[in-house]
Amino acid sequence: MRKIELEIVALSHSITQTHSYAVVLGEVNGLRRLPIVIGGFEAQAIAVALEKMQPSRPLTHDLMKNFMNAFNVDLHEVVISNLQEGIFYSKLICSSNEETIEIDSRTSDALALAVRFGCPIYTFENILNSAGILLDDPAGKKSGKPITPTISEHEKGAEDDLKGMSLEDLDQLLHDVLEQEDYIRAIAIRDEINSRKSK
């Protein structure tokens, strides 16, 4: 079965499930999108790697990467291999000492590792056909801009609160949320600080 390459195009709060996030994968050079609901911790793990942030302590997925590197295990690709009753199943395609191994993984963990290793993400046609969304607008294709998690409507109020804060207060808030390891909130604060400094 032919594999189709995907890339992460968005990360946002899930509209359908409270306290969950959605990572949206886009078909490389195509118009189809594959939204996958993930947990908050996994969303933060993906966001931290996408934004190249350096947490004060290694997150679980950073630890896993360090562990794999220490034992010369390389992650070559992630394959979203199955979809059953709305649940996605994935495999990590790894190699060590010229031996290739497939390891079962939750899709959210597989994506967090794929971002850290910079390896490709694939799925199959039948999964895209059953769970994918086709974009009508060709302008929705990848623009080459860096990926930043998108903000849902119920986060807009929090974003507006940032606009009313001074730069000094924003710096302090950024420090506080990094201490709490709330990296998704930290990204929004950092973006607000950067937009003010660029004016």
Side-chain angles (χ1 to χ4, degrees):
M1 206 178 306
R2 184 177 72 88
K3 293 187 292 189
I4 298 163
E5 189 172 356
L6 303 171
E7 60 193 345
I8 298 173
V9 294
L11 181 63
S12 66
H13 269 292
S14 171
I15 297 165
T16 57
Q17 296 184 30
T18 312
H19 305 302
S20 292
Y21 288 78
V23 60
V24 181
L25 302 172
E27 181 181 18
V28 172
N29 300 320
L31 295 175
R32 291 181 290 182
R33 300 290 181 260
L34 186 64
I36 300 174
V37 174
I38 62 174
F41 291 116
E42 293 79 6
Q44 282 201 356
I46 292 168
V48 163
L50 286 173
E51 294 293 321
K52 299 184 176 14
M53 297 176 85
Q54 296 297 320
S56 54
R57 299 176 297 159
L59 300 178
T60 304
H61 299 93
D62 298 318
L63 173 64
M64 187 67 185
K65 182 184 179 197
N66 294 341
F67 186 85
M68 291 169 75
N69 287 339
F71 289 94
N72 297 316
V73 177
D74 192 30
L75 178 61
H76 293 287
E77 63 187 52
V78 163
V79 179
I80 301 170
S81 56
N82 202 354
L83 174 63
Q84 293 180 6
E85 298 177 13
I87 298 171
F88 292 91
Y89 295 82
S90 294
K91 293 186 182 298
L92 305 174
I93 311 302
C94 303
S95 69
S96 176
N97 301 326
E98 299 179 19
E99 180 183 2
T100 301
I101 306 159
E102 289 186 6
I103 301 170
D104 288 331
S105 172
R106 293 188 315 167
T107 299
S108 55
D109 292 328
L111 295 175
L113 285 171
V115 174
R116 283 165 173 74
F117 278 92
C119 73
I121 303 163
Y122 296 102
T123 194
F124 299 112
E125 190 71 39
N126 63 319
I127 293 173
L128 265 179
N129 285 340
S130 60
I133 298 165
L134 180 63
L135 287 185
D136 294 328
D137 179 15
K141 290 173 79 171
K142 187 176 180 189
S143 62
K145 291 190 282 192
I147 299 164
T148 1
T150 56
I151 297 174
S152 66
E153 283 305 313
H154 67 277
E155 288 179 291
K156 293 285 187 203
E159 186 183 57
D160 291 341
D161 290 345
L162 296 178
K163 293 193 183 309
M165 296 176 75
S166 71
L167 203 51
E168 186 178 288
D169 289 340
L170 285 171
D171 284 330
Q172 181 58 50
L173 182 59
L174 179 60
H175 180 282
D176 293 345
V177 298
L178 286 172
E179 286 289 314
Q180 297 163 10
E181 300 183 357
D182 184 355
Y183 299 109
I184 290 180
R185 179 97 170 115
I187 290 166
I189 297 164
R190 185 216 52 205
D191 288 348
E192 177 64 23
I193 291 169
N194 288 344
S195 75
R196 289 194 198 181
K197 287 182 176 176
S198 67
K199 288 180 182 174

